[in-house]
Amino acid sequence: MENGQLRAFWYDGVTARRHVGTAFWHGDDLRLEGDDGETMHVPLADLVFVERGVLDGSYSRKVDDGFRLVFTDPVPEALAARLPRGARFGKWIDGLGLPRAAALFAGISAALVALVLTAPNWLGPRIPPAWESRIGDAMVGDLQDVSCRTPSSDAALARLVKQLDPDNPPTNVSIANIDMVNAVALPGGQVLVFDGLIQESSDPDELAGVIGHEIGHVRERHVMQALLRQFGLSILLGGVNSDIGSTLFGLTATSYSREAEREADVFSRAQMERSNISPASTADFFAELAKQGEGGPGWASWIASHPMPQEREDAFRKAVVPGKAYRPSLSRADYAAIRDACAKDPDVEPFDIF
């Protein structure tokens, strides 16, 4: 039977006095004999390695957490094999082995990345419409102070939407007093058009093509997919950030896949053809995007969230039927009302990022 002795000191867990003496090891039993003559027996099976706390790296007892034992002589290998060991990386990692644990972590990480990338595609369309509507209302509410509204602009937008989306639940299109060339689709059938885009537009047909594109995102259920991808499920569980700046730039940063952008454009062209609205002006809009793409401050925000202006210009240009008698999407008065909405709304506030 293996045995030996080595110097040590210990605290018995009863008094605060430090005992210095010799630890005699015999089989599964440890006998501590102090230089002061006091002795105690401790079964090796009762020892617990102390990883944190007082005397880190010492041994305590299962039956007495106040006990501490520290060997001051080197511990023989035969005794070390019987003593409890501390966790080097963590108990389950030590048990599994570092290489296997690393491989397991890599597999889990890859699965999570795949889930984040693919889950929005199938989860987004399955979000209940009531949930989506509440999220959209919250987003619009955050931007309420910078929303431009007049009776004539609201009526003009309603007439335009009726042409572009007559067979679906109503889409609410509103104007934001923000000098950026952008428009965003929100959950719950909401579309927000920035005044900067309206002022840059050259005619109502150009505006119709852009709004039709955003309505396409709404109808194809792209919005929830993009939000889930951009913000994660926290936007559903934790609500929308009430800070206007954070909400705005979160919206403008929301991006769609190339396939989603094409689907929204297809929807816009189909609805314009149905309403006998020429797609030529929208093609001109994308041509301007392509031309201003490098260094154009006014167009940069749209390009960031709506890629491929050249390809989209070509698609809208090819949709123009030569010789066809198109009609304007809005009257001059309606188009003017939309352009003047922010200037004539006495209650709207200027957007201030700070």
Side-chain angles (χ1 to χ4, degrees):
M1 185 176 292
E2 296 170 312
N3 57 77
Q5 64 184 57
L6 60 162
R7 295 292 290 175
F9 69 86
W10 61 92
Y11 294 87
D12 57 22
V14 178
T15 67
R17 187 160 59 91
R18 170 173 162 158
H19 300 273
V20 178
T22 303
F24 294 91
W25 163 48
H26 182 72
D28 293 328
D29 182 66
L30 196 65
R31 188 177 79 256
L32 305 177
E33 292 188 3
D35 295 341
D36 55 7
E38 295 189 13
T39 64
M40 66 182 303
H41 289 267
V42 180
L44 292 179
D46 188 34
L47 292 178
V48 178
F49 186 79
V50 179
E51 297 185 67
R52 294 181 297 274
V54 180
L55 295 181
D56 182 15
S58 63
Y59 297 90
S60 181
R61 296 183 65 183
K62 297 176 183 177
V63 298
D64 185 0
D65 187 55
F67 175 84
R68 290 293 185 273
L69 169 64
V70 177
F71 297 109
T72 54
D73 281 346
V75 178
E77 292 184 6
L79 175 59
R82 293 174 176 264
L83 291 172
R85 298 180 181 180
R88 185 178 179 187
F89 300 105
K91 291 184 178 180
W92 76 270
I93 296 179
D94 288 340
L96 187 63
L98 184 58
R100 291 182 179 178
L104 178 60
F105 274 125
I108 293 174
S109 298
L112 288 175
V113 170
L115 180 64
V116 169
L117 293 177
T118 60
N121 295 333
W122 57 264
L123 181 60
R126 290 170 174 79
I127 297 296
W131 291 17
E132 184 175 348
S133 180
R134 285 196 293 270
I135 295 171
D137 290 343
M139 288 182 169
V140 171
D142 286 345
L143 299 167
Q144 192 65 44
D145 291 341
V146 296
S147 295
C148 308
R149 301 193 63 178
T150 67
S152 56
S153 67
D154 286 350
L157 285 172
R159 281 190 282 272
L160 181 59
V161 171
K162 188 174 182 179
Q163 295 179 72
L164 296 172
D165 195 28
D167 299 330
N168 291 290
T171 302
N172 180 40
V173 179
S174 55
I175 304 170
N177 188 27
I178 301 171
D179 188 21
M180 297 172 62
V181 180
N182 214 327
V184 291
L186 307 181
Q190 306 271 4
V191 171
L192 193 66
V193 184
F194 295 177
D195 189 52
L197 185 147
I198 294 173
Q199 301 308 318
E200 289 285 352
S201 65
S202 58
D203 60 49
D205 294 351
E206 183 176 305
L207 193 59
V210 172
I211 293 176
H213 172 87
E214 299 302 331
I215 294 176
H217 282 312
V218 172
R219 295 306 168 209
E220 298 293 341
R221 299 299 302 272
H222 296 155
V223 182
M224 290 307 304
Q225 296 176 30
L227 286 176
L228 289 172
R229 188 177 298 110
Q230 184 73 23
F231 301 118
L233 290 173
S234 61
I235 194 169
L236 298 177
L237 303 177
V240 180
N241 192 330
S242 61
D243 178 73
I244 292 180
S246 297
T247 300
L248 169 65
F249 288 106
L251 294 174
T252 57
T254 301
S255 59
Y256 302 101
S257 67
R258 286 175 177 252
E259 181 182 357
E261 293 289 355
R262 292 189 181 102
E263 287 179 354
D265 277 349
V266 168
F267 177 92
S268 180
R269 289 194 297 272
Q271 297 304 91
M272 294 177 77
E273 180 181 1
R274 176 178 180 174
S275 299
N276 199 29
I277 300 172
S278 173
S281 293
T282 307
D284 293 340
F285 174 79
F286 289 123
E288 186 66 20
L289 290 184
K291 185 170 63 176
Q292 298 285 346
E294 296 183 4
W299 304 92
S301 58
W302 180 280
I303 292 174
S305 56
H306 297 74
M308 307 176 299
Q310 183 63 59
E311 175 185 331
R312 298 165 78 182
E313 176 201 350
D314 294 342
F316 275 86
R317 193 81 66 192
K318 290 178 182 177
V320 178
V321 179
K324 184 175 182 179
Y326 292 103
R327 62 177 182 80
S329 57
L330 290 174
S331 67
R332 291 184 179 180
D334 280 347
Y335 182 52
I338 293 174
R339 289 181 64 89
D340 296 340
C342 291
K344 292 187 176 181
D345 184 348
D347 299 320
V348 70
E349 297 181 3
F351 171 71
D352 186 358
I353 187 174
F354 303 105

